[in-house]
Amino acid sequence: METPRTPSPAERPLEIVPSVLPADFSRLGDEVVALAKAGVDRIQWDVMDGRFVPNLTFGPDVIASCRPHVTVPFEAHLMVDDPDALMHRYVEAGCELLIVHAESTRHLHRSLGRAAELGARAAVALNPATPATAVANVLDLCSMVLVMTVNPGFGGQDYIATMEPKITQVRAMIAEGGHDCDVEVDGGISPATVRGAARAGANVLVAGSALYRDPVGLEHAVTELRDLATATRQPTQGA
Ligand code: DX5
């Protein structure tokens, strides 16, 4: 049987994933419906425990209350000190993808395996200071690597462009190993920064404030990011 060919970066589906952090928390059900109508590919819940990051956000019950409102997949970005203790609750709440920070667990390989045991897709996230090599030995367990382009904990921060070489390095490690794995970026993604991230090799783009501050609206913001990233991945005429 012929070995399945790993899609090249340009062939991986481009996904726009909103962060719910800038949304109106007093009516989250309506907010996720509006995001689904805007054509997003998945919704990211930024789960913060006030310890791993200096902020506190969504418990599993909040997410579970929004689950019946939309069919768009949910991912939980676990910015928590003890992901193993909480993972099952976020799967029960309806998250099909769990993102574990490499810096948050002593046994990253075990934590990613645990996510898969729970029936979720597993992903690993890297803080800006953490080198790409930190995930070299767990790529076979991951369907995605998240390269943070801000220091986690808050929305509305500036994009750290010096993360682009790391995005490219992670993408190269995935290709070299023949892994079926996406590269996600998160933090400061906007029309001004999305091309740099896509050119570097990211195919999943998380955006928060850039979507909610668009004067035309969410749908326009999502389409604009998708079009800019897609154009960046197209081979230039006469190239
Ligand atoms: C930060 C979060 C991000 C953030 C993105 O810790 O992980 O998802 O909400 O927001 P913007 O796009 O405003 O940087």
Side-chain angles (χ1 to χ4, degrees):
M1 191 178 81
E2 196 185 326
T3 322
R5 190 176 64 75
T6 306
S8 75
E11 290 165 328
R12 298 203 69 88
L14 198 79
E15 296 183 326
I16 305 295
V17 178
S19 154
V20 184
L21 217 50
D24 177 350
F25 289 8
S26 72
R27 46 186 209 87
L28 276 175
D30 298 338
E31 293 276 38
V32 295
V33 169
L35 289 168
K37 282 200 180 119
V40 302
D41 298 287
R42 196 166 51 246
I43 291 175
Q44 182 186 88
W45 294 91
D46 288 307
V47 177
M48 303 180 185
D49 66 352
R51 291 166 40 195
F52 183 74
V53 289
N55 200 352
L56 204 52
T57 56
F58 310 111
D61 297 341
V62 174
I63 299 175
S65 71
C66 291
R67 184 63 280 178
H69 292 263
V70 290
T71 57
V72 175
F74 287 175
E75 67 180 40
H77 178 190
L78 300 174
M79 290 166 273
V80 301
D81 255 0
D82 185 2
D84 295 20
L86 287 170
M87 275 185 202
H88 66 291
R89 296 288 315 280
Y90 286 94
V91 175
E92 287 158 13
C95 297
E96 58 96 24
L97 176 58
L98 297 179
I99 307 172
V100 174
H101 265 268
E103 309 84 2
S104 70
T105 172
R106 285 206 188 93
H107 305 290
L108 179 60
H109 192 281
R110 182 183 288 147
S111 299
L112 295 167
R114 175 93 183 105
E117 277 164 23
L118 290 165
R121 293 194 295 137
V124 58
L126 296 169
N127 282 340
T130 307
T133 49
V135 300
N137 301 104
V138 295
L139 289 175
D140 58 317
L141 299 176
C142 295
S143 66
M144 187 173 77
V145 176
L146 165 52
V147 177
M148 290 300 300
T149 43
V150 295
N151 285 293
F154 304 95
Q157 300 181 82
D158 290 339
Y159 174 76
I160 307 174
T162 53
M163 290 303 113
E164 289 174 5
K166 183 161 67 170
I167 298 167
T168 305
Q169 190 185 356
V170 168
R171 175 57 74 195
M173 287 161 59
I174 291 168
E176 275 153 32
H179 301 294
D180 185 12
C181 190
D182 291 319
V183 177
E184 182 176 62
V185 288
D186 180 10
I189 296 297
S190 72
T193 59
V194 69
R195 280 171 285 210
R199 199 175 298 119
N203 67 297
V204 183
L205 309 159
V206 175
S209 46
L211 299 183
Y212 285 90
R213 69 168 175 251
D214 184 303
V216 184
L218 286 174
E219 191 165 349
H220 174 266
V222 170
T223 308
E224 185 179 17
L225 284 183
R226 196 186 298 281
D227 291 351
L228 287 168
T230 305
T232 306
R233 299 189 336 153
Q234 302 302 335
T236 45
Q237 295 308 322

